[in-house]
Amino acid sequence: MSSPLPSVLDLAPVVPVVVVDDLADAVPLARALVAGGLPAIEVTLRTPVAVDAIRAIAGEVPGAVVGAGTVVTPGQVDDVVAAGARFLVSPGWTDLLLETMRGSGVPFLPGVSTTSEVVALLERGVREMKFFPAEAAGGTAYLKALAAPLPQARFCPTGGIGPASAPEYLALPNVGCVGGSWMLPKDAVAGRDWGRVEQLAREAAALSAGATCR
């Protein structure tokens, strides 16, 4: 059995956000990411094979910490945890979804995009959150503004972040990691160029060197 995770935000500077269209790609893609130094892999529930992809990665890729993203219903929580997901990420939250994720026994990052949502989660004892959609919701300036009044909140910003902007987020004191998919360009995945994916993952993993305020 896998041991519990202390915090998703501390596993790696970047959490790859993965959309698996072909189940055959799940394991080699995950192996390339892990080999490149990105063990936390968020498989989004946007395709019919997503749950099976989580199951395959959990069972066949040593070193991978596979999680489920785009979790929006309590039923999905049950399905992905049964498949082997070790963390959960949602684009937003309701009290019902929050309590289901809390009861799952695995770490979770509920999505927020406003100060009121952050305060509401803190009131409910949740301190680690996904900031989504990061760039559209105010980017680094917004998160920097939250740090002084709400220092107890920590974030994984996701949405519109790339290799150029990621270091700016990682330098913020209230950011533990960022989510993104730039290390998975569509042409590389379509061509099954896992060597290229591994190299891009290695470059993303190295971004922590510039994050002086983690």
Side-chain angles (χ1 to χ4, degrees):
M1 294 294 290
S2 299
S3 58
L5 298 180
S7 172
V8 179
L9 273 59
D10 296 327
L11 291 173
V14 180
V15 176
V17 179
V18 178
V19 178
V20 179
D21 291 302
D22 186 337
L23 184 58
D25 292 339
V27 168
L29 184 155
R31 286 176 176 157
L33 293 172
V34 172
L38 299 180
I41 301 170
E42 176 188 334
V43 176
T44 65
L45 302 183
R46 302 179 192 174
T47 67
V49 300
V51 175
D52 288 331
I54 290 170
R55 183 178 293 108
I57 294 169
E60 299 179 41
V61 186
V65 181
V66 64
T70 323
V71 176
V72 294
T73 70
Q76 288 176 326
V77 172
D78 296 336
D79 291 343
V80 298
V81 171
R86 296 182 62 192
F87 64 92
L88 309 169
V89 184
S90 67
W93 63 277
T94 64
D95 280 320
L96 177 58
L97 181 59
L98 186 68
E99 288 311 306
T100 305
M101 291 193 294
R102 195 196 299 271
S104 70
V106 301
F108 57 94
L109 297 175
V112 297
S113 60
T114 69
T115 306
S116 294
E117 290 171 323
V118 175
V119 172
L121 283 177
L122 291 173
E123 187 178 77
R124 289 159 173 79
V126 178
R127 294 189 174 189
E128 297 187 345
M129 312 165 195
K130 171 181 179 174
F131 180 57
F132 176 82
E135 288 288 279
T140 55
Y142 195 97
L143 287 173
K144 186 180 294 185
L146 290 181
L150 301 170
Q152 64 272 54
R154 295 180 71 216
F155 301 95
C156 175
T158 305
I161 298 174
S165 59
E168 299 174 12
Y169 283 94
L170 291 169
L172 297 176
N174 54 352
V175 169
C177 63
V178 300
S181 57
W182 71 86
M183 71 297 300
L184 296 162
K186 290 183 178 180
D187 60 333
V189 175
R192 294 184 166 86
D193 187 351
W194 309 127
R196 182 180 172 199
V197 170
E198 180 179 338
Q199 179 57 38
L200 290 171
R202 186 171 290 109
E203 293 169 6
L207 291 175
S208 58
T212 59
C213 301
R214 296 269 309 274

